[in-house]
Amino acid sequence: MPLQFIWTDYPEAADSPDFLSGATFEPPLPTDFNHLLIKGDNYPVLKKLQKDFSGAVDLIYIDPPYNTGNDFTYNDNFKVRDGSGEADRHSQWLSFMQRRLLTARPLLKSSGCIFIAIDQSELYTLKLLCDQIFDEENFVNDFMWLHGKGKKDTWSRTLQQHTLCYARDKKQLPAFREIQQTDWATTNADSDPRGNWFSGSISFTEKRSNPNHKNYYSIVSPSGKVWTRQWQTDEAHMKELIADNRIFWGQPPAYDKVPRLKIFNEEESEVIPRNIIEPKETTRAAQHHLDELLGQSGAFDNPKPVSLIKHLIEITRQPKDALILDFFAGSGTTFEAVCALNAQDKGKRRSILVQKDENGIFELCKKRCQKVSELFEQSAALQVEPLFISFTH
C-alpha cells in the first residue's frame, strides 16, 4: 500500500475556481515565440498556462525556496508568524510546493521530466511529496552537484546540493546520456596503431536481451564464434565498427571473449550519466559571473551555474527544439543555459520563465535576459531576446 503523506494544508487565493476569471496576460501569449519571461505569481500563472501548454513542455527545471528558515532574496521562511509551531513551517512549505507541482505536472509531455533543486532542509519531505504527485516509479535519480567547499557545521561538511528528477512517464522518457572524452586508456591489447584504448560494453547479456528488439542480431568473431544478442547499435553501424577494427573479440587465435567496443584516448563517447556531478562551476564562480554580467555586486544570492543547468538539459537528450519551463526563474540562469546550448549545437530550444515581482527579482531577471540576449545575438547571431509578459488578475 502506498505511503500516505499528509500535512496541514494552507490554502491560497488562487485555489478558487473564480480566481482566474478575470486573469489576463499582457500582451497576450503569442502562438509563435522563442522565449517568454512572465511576471507574476507562478501558481496562478501555471494554472493559466494549462489552456495553451498542456502536454507541451519537454523539460522543467526549478530552484524553489528551500525552507531553510532564512530570508534570502526569495522569502525562504515559511514559519507561521503567530508562533504556532515548527510543524507549520513544513506544512506551509509543503502546501506551497504541492500546488505548484500538481499544476506543473500536466504541462509536461509524456516523454518529459522535471528537475527540482533542493538542499537537505526539505530533501526527504520533497521526495515523499514528489512520489505522491509524479508516482515513485517515475523517480529518475537525485543528481547531486558538488558545489565547492561545502556547508559546514560542528559535525560535518556537506559538499552536495540535490536535484531530484522525475519523469512524467518513465517508460517514455528517453535514456539519459552524457558525452565524455576518453583520456585514461593506458593499454593497447592488440597493438592497434591508433594507440591506447579501453573497451566499453556494446551489448546486453543473453539473459537481458530482447529477441524482438530491432538491434537483436548475430555477429561472427574472426575465429567463427557466433554471438547472438541485443546490441547497443544497429546492424549497419556494427558492420562499420567491425570493418574499422573497433570491436575487440579477445586474443587470437580463440577470439572468444564477449565483443566489446574499443574506445581510444581523445575520443568522445556517450555514457550513462553519473548522479554525482563534479563542479561545473562553483557557487562563487556563478556569483562572480552574474555580478560581472549585471555590472553590480551581490544582486542575487547563490545563483546556480549556467553550466550546471546546461548539463542537466543535455543529459536528457530531449529534442533540440525542446520547450523548457522554469517557474522559479530567479536571476534567469535557465534562460542563459538554454541560449548557450542553442549556440553550441545550433538548437532551437525555447523557454518560458516565470518570476514573481518581489524584492526586485523580476527586474533583475529581466536585466539579465536582456544582457544575455545582446551577447548571443552578437556572437552567435541568435534571435533570443524574450518577450516580456505581465500576468494580472
Side-chain angles (χ1 to χ4, degrees):
M1 182 178 178
L3 177 66
Q4 293 299 306
F5 184 42
I6 58 174
W7 60 90
T8 302
D9 186 55
Y10 285 83
E12 296 187 34
D15 294 341
S16 168
D18 299 326
F19 187 86
L20 295 180
S21 59
T24 60
F25 288 117
E26 183 59 42
L29 289 180
T31 55
D32 185 25
F33 65 92
N34 289 322
H35 306 280
L36 303 176
L37 172 57
I38 301 172
K39 178 169 68 175
D41 183 343
N42 54 19
Y43 177 36
V45 168
L46 289 170
K47 295 180 79 170
K48 188 72 174 175
L49 289 175
Q50 300 291 329
K51 178 176 180 293
D52 296 313
F53 293 97
S54 180
V57 175
D58 295 278
L59 185 148
I60 297 173
Y61 173 87
I62 56 170
D63 188 7
Y66 294 168
N67 197 15
T68 59
N70 298 310
D71 290 312
F72 292 116
T73 313
Y74 283 120
N75 175 21
D76 197 29
N77 188 348
F78 286 82
K79 189 172 182 179
V80 177
R81 302 296 182 178
D82 63 5
S84 56
E86 184 74 6
D88 282 327
R89 178 166 69 87
H90 296 288
S91 292
Q92 276 205 322
W93 184 84
L94 281 164
S95 299
F96 173 87
M97 290 299 297
Q98 182 203 38
R99 281 167 169 74
R100 285 148 182 82
L101 293 175
L102 277 173
T103 313
R105 182 180 178 274
L107 297 174
L108 281 171
K109 289 182 179 178
S110 58
S111 57
C113 61
I114 182 171
F115 290 96
I116 309 169
I118 196 70
D119 74 358
Q120 290 181 317
S121 300
E122 294 286 7
L123 171 64
Y124 305 106
T125 46
L126 178 63
K127 175 68 169 63
L128 290 171
L129 177 65
C130 288
D131 284 347
Q132 285 196 176
I133 293 173
F134 295 98
D135 194 316
E136 60 185 320
E137 293 182 357
N138 288 318
F139 175 64
V140 177
N141 212 326
D142 175 6
F143 290 92
M144 291 178 279
W145 168 50
L146 303 182
H147 57 96
K149 293 183 178 179
K151 179 182 176 183
K152 64 181 178 180
D153 59 21
T154 304
W155 303 276
S156 65
R157 185 185 294 273
T158 302
L159 298 177
Q160 81 279 5
Q161 285 192 351
H162 302 265
T163 314
L164 298 184
C165 180
Y166 281 80
R168 172 71 189 266
D169 180 354
K170 199 172 179 181
K171 293 177 182 177
Q172 299 188 56
L173 182 69
F176 286 8
R177 293 290 184 270
E178 68 176 309
I179 302 298
Q180 197 170 68
Q181 188 174 66
T182 309
D183 61 3
W184 55 82
T186 59
T187 59
N188 188 346
D190 62 354
S191 300
D192 193 303
R194 290 169 288 195
N196 291 340
W197 55 270
F198 79 100
S199 66
S201 174
I202 197 170
S203 69
F204 296 88
T205 64
E206 280 88 349
K207 185 176 181 180
R208 291 186 58 212
S209 293
N210 177 6
N212 297 316
H213 195 277
K214 63 180 181 179
N215 289 342
Y216 187 87
Y217 51 85
S218 298
I219 62 175
V220 184
S221 82
S223 65
K225 184 174 176 59
V226 178
W227 295 91
T228 303
R229 52 175 58 192
Q230 182 183 336
W231 305 92
Q232 294 175 18
T233 188
D234 60 48
E235 193 167 7
H237 185 229
M238 177 63 81
K239 288 178 179 179
E240 292 175 0
L241 293 172
I242 293 172
D244 193 32
N245 189 27
R246 297 297 296 267
I247 300 299
F248 182 65
W249 312 88
Q251 295 295 342
Y255 295 113
D256 58 353
K257 300 300 182 184
V258 174
R260 291 177 65 84
L261 178 66
K262 292 164 63 175
I263 303 171
F264 296 89
N265 281 335
E266 308 302 324
E267 285 189 335
E268 290 186 343
S269 58
E270 282 192 350
V271 298
I272 297 172
R274 295 176 297 171
N275 76 316
I276 303 294
I277 302 173
E278 299 292 342
K280 296 294 176 182
E281 297 169 78
T282 62
T283 306
R284 181 174 295 181
Q287 185 76 63
H288 178 73
H289 169 72
L290 180 60
D291 291 350
E292 193 174 67
L293 189 65
L294 297 178
Q296 60 187 107
S297 179
F300 189 88
D301 296 319
N302 303 315
K304 289 292 187 293
V306 173
S307 57
L308 172 67
I309 300 178
K310 183 168 161 282
H311 171 77
L312 294 174
I313 297 171
E314 283 183 295
I315 65 173
T316 65
R317 298 199 304 176
Q318 292 289 348
K320 289 186 179 182
D321 62 351
L323 177 59
I324 296 165
L325 169 65
D326 182 348
F327 53 89
F328 286 97
S331 69
T333 308
T334 297
F335 173 71
E336 186 171 347
V338 171
C339 292
L341 195 52
N342 282 344
Q344 174 184 303
D345 66 9
K346 296 181 173 56
K348 295 184 178 179
R349 298 169 188 84
R350 300 176 299 151
S351 67
I352 300 176
L353 276 66
V354 184
Q355 178 54 51
K356 189 175 181 179
D357 188 21
E358 65 176 349
N359 300 329
I361 305 177
F362 178 82
E363 290 305 319
L364 183 149
C365 182
K366 181 178 179 180
K367 182 178 179 181
R368 181 182 193 167
C369 289
Q370 290 170 328
K371 293 283 187 181
V372 168
S373 298
E374 290 170 9
L375 289 174
F376 281 98
E377 285 174 355
Q378 291 170 5
S379 63
L382 297 175
Q383 296 297 315
V384 297
E385 183 169 1
L387 176 64
F388 301 110
I389 293 177
S390 292
F391 172 78
T392 58
H393 58 84

